[in-house]
Amino acid sequence: ATAKWYDRRDSVYIEFCVADSKDVKINFEKAKFVFSCLGGTDQVKHQNEVDLFEAIDQNESIHKRTDRSVLCCLRKAEPGKAWPRLTKEKAKLTWLSVDFNNWKDWEDDSDEELGNFDRFSE
């Protein structure tokens, strides 16, 4: 599935752009995560496996399904550490792009981001 991602102080967000997803399965592991679902009107099977740039807290990571996409919030094991990319390898993945609408350089920012995770959980 095609996806967009962006980095925040405590978490990394990935949005899988799959309309009408069904059977969403997400497996959060310490340094990798697996996403799969059926999507679209013809219910095509999508599967993505990502070896992550850094470790995440798999118990704190969550996802939310909407009609247009599946948004995953990966809680960083080391908050405050910027991720220059999502993946461990420097390879360019054809299905993955940066979400420039949500991207911001937060390293020199205040703590205004803390509310994002709370809003996401609702």
Side-chain angles (χ1 to χ4, degrees):
T2 58
K4 301 182 293 191
W5 80 284
Y6 61 98
D7 183 36
R8 288 291 194 262
R9 186 178 307 278
D10 298 337
S11 308
V12 175
Y13 294 86
I14 308 170
E15 183 175 15
F16 289 97
C17 307
V18 180
D20 301 323
S21 58
K22 302 221 178 5
D23 230 10
V24 175
K25 291 187 183 68
I26 297 179
N27 184 17
F28 296 111
E29 295 174 28
K30 193 165 178 54
K32 116 183 195 183
F33 95 105
V34 180
F35 165 84
S36 69
C37 75
L38 300 173
T41 48
D42 44 2
Q43 293 299 293
V44 176
K45 181 165 174 56
H46 297 277
Q47 181 157 349
N48 300 70
E49 194 170 309
V50 182
D51 287 318
L52 296 167
F53 179 74
E54 290 275 341
I56 59 168
D57 181 343
Q58 63 262 51
N59 300 321
E60 289 288 315
S61 296
I62 55 179
H63 73 278
K64 182 165 105 181
R65 188 201 151 281
T66 66
D67 289 340
R68 293 193 353 225
S69 65
V70 179
L71 183 63
C72 303
C73 174
L74 309 179
R75 190 66 114 165
K76 293 179 180 177
E78 287 184 58
K81 190 171 181 185
W83 289 24
R85 62 184 179 276
L86 180 66
T87 57
K88 191 181 227 16
E89 301 298 316
K90 269 194 168 165
K92 175 89 176 106
L93 301 172
T94 55
W95 56 268
L96 184 65
S97 62
V98 171
D99 186 346
F100 287 107
N101 292 338
N102 286 306
W103 190 273
K104 65 193 260 191
D105 291 326
W106 50 261
E107 283 132 320
D108 38 303
D109 248 11
S110 65
D111 286 340
E112 69 182 61
E113 295 302 324
L114 296 175
N116 268 5
F117 190 79
D118 299 331
R119 273 203 308 274
F120 182 87
S121 326
E122 288 169 3

